Amino acid sequence: MQKEILIVDDHLVVRTGVSIILEEKLKNIAISTTENYSETLNILKEQKFDLIILDVNIPGGRNTSMVEEIKDIQPNVKILIFSVYEEETHACPYIIAGANGYLNKLSDKKKLTGAVDSILKTGNYLTPDIIKELVKASSNKQSINPLDKLSKREREISELLVQGDGNIEIANKLSIQLTTVSTHKNKIFTKLNIKNIVDLIGLFNKSVGVNT
């Protein structure tokens, strides 16, 4: 049976290169591509996929929240995170959020096709390093991502702050009162033990990576 694969990346060279490699090495696959998050959500509402190869730094992207939102639309779809960030430092938050695998973009052709083939056949692609970090996180009994301390609303607001939105813009986008934004902003800074937006941006970069 033909497997439907969606490649999500804002770079044409990456989308084209990955497509060529997979079509050369794997049989019975059909590949579609998107270049931003909103386009991705739209196509997911119209077409079923077996696997999504997802870059985390796409326009409109929402970090680990994308995994949950994608699976809300298609619960059975598998997700392979394809990122420039090292798996030792960035893979676990995405796996915990529900991704089925994580692969660094510097990986060679064999590793790429092996990861895709593994997920299509077994449902997961977890390297020994990722498993080690997951076990470490579990044994420590604490979140490996400090942003997990935030509520859903606080996470939404923090992401908008990182993207450069001010209090007024956030209030308009989320349809909430300006005073509510200020209250949430203070709670975010307190929970994360930070003092300003620069600290928040640094924490996002360290934890899961943000669009640049």
Side-chain angles (χ1 to χ4, degrees):
M1 180 181 295
Q2 181 172 272
K3 298 293 185 180
E4 298 288 339
I5 298 175
L6 176 64
I7 299 173
V8 182
D9 198 290
D10 58 334
H11 294 96
L12 176 61
V13 172
V14 174
R15 297 195 304 272
T16 303
V18 173
S19 297
I20 292 174
I21 291 172
L22 296 182
E23 288 172 342
E24 286 180 348
K25 299 296 183 179
L26 302 178
K27 298 179 180 180
N28 299 321
I29 62 172
I31 297 177
S32 302
T33 66
T34 57
E35 59 184 48
N36 59 62
Y37 191 49
S38 61
E39 183 183 357
T40 300
L41 294 180
N42 289 335
I43 195 172
L44 289 176
K45 295 173 183 176
E46 300 174 355
Q47 182 179 348
K48 292 291 184 181
F49 291 95
D50 298 286
L51 170 64
I52 298 174
I53 300 175
L54 177 66
D55 179 20
V56 298
N57 283 345
I58 55 172
R62 295 166 56 79
N63 305 305
T64 55
S65 297
M66 293 189 292
V67 176
E68 299 172 5
E69 291 171 356
I70 287 172
K71 294 214 170 188
D72 280 342
I73 299 173
Q74 293 195 25
N76 296 322
V77 71
K78 306 303 180 185
I79 299 175
L80 172 63
I81 301 298
F82 193 47
S83 170
V84 296
Y85 299 104
E86 295 294 336
E87 61 183 41
E88 290 85 356
T89 56
H90 288 79
C92 283
Y94 288 94
I95 301 300
I96 292 172
N100 303 91
Y102 188 103
L103 187 66
N104 186 277
K105 285 188 175 182
L106 297 180
S107 301
D108 57 27
K109 294 181 180 180
K110 184 177 181 180
K111 198 168 185 179
L112 171 60
T113 55
V116 172
D117 190 49
S118 175
I119 291 181
L120 290 176
K121 289 180 177 178
T122 70
N124 291 286
Y125 172 74
L126 298 176
T127 65
D129 286 335
I130 293 177
I131 294 174
K132 180 180 178 180
E133 292 301 319
L134 288 171
V135 170
K136 185 188 299 184
S138 176
S139 61
N140 288 339
K141 295 183 180 180
Q142 61 183 7
S143 173
I144 59 173
N145 184 1
L147 299 176
D148 287 343
K149 298 176 182 178
L150 304 179
S151 67
K152 184 177 180 180
R153 177 62 83 186
E154 290 167 350
R155 183 62 179 259
E156 289 176 335
I157 291 174
S158 65
E159 288 173 351
L160 291 174
L161 287 169
V162 167
Q163 292 171 19
D165 289 340
N167 288 11
I168 295 177
E169 289 84 0
I170 294 174
N172 291 333
K173 286 184 177 181
L174 299 180
S175 299
I176 58 179
Q177 296 294 322
L178 188 59
T179 54
T180 302
V181 176
S182 297
T183 299
H184 280 302
K185 186 175 177 180
N186 290 333
K187 288 182 178 179
I188 290 168
F189 285 10
T190 299
K191 285 185 177 181
L192 299 180
N193 193 28
I194 57 177
K195 297 181 179 180
N196 51 50
I197 302 299
V198 174
D199 291 340
L200 182 62
I201 293 173
L203 187 57
F204 261 74
N205 278 318
K206 182 179 180 180
S207 298
V208 293
V210 296
N211 295 336
T212 56

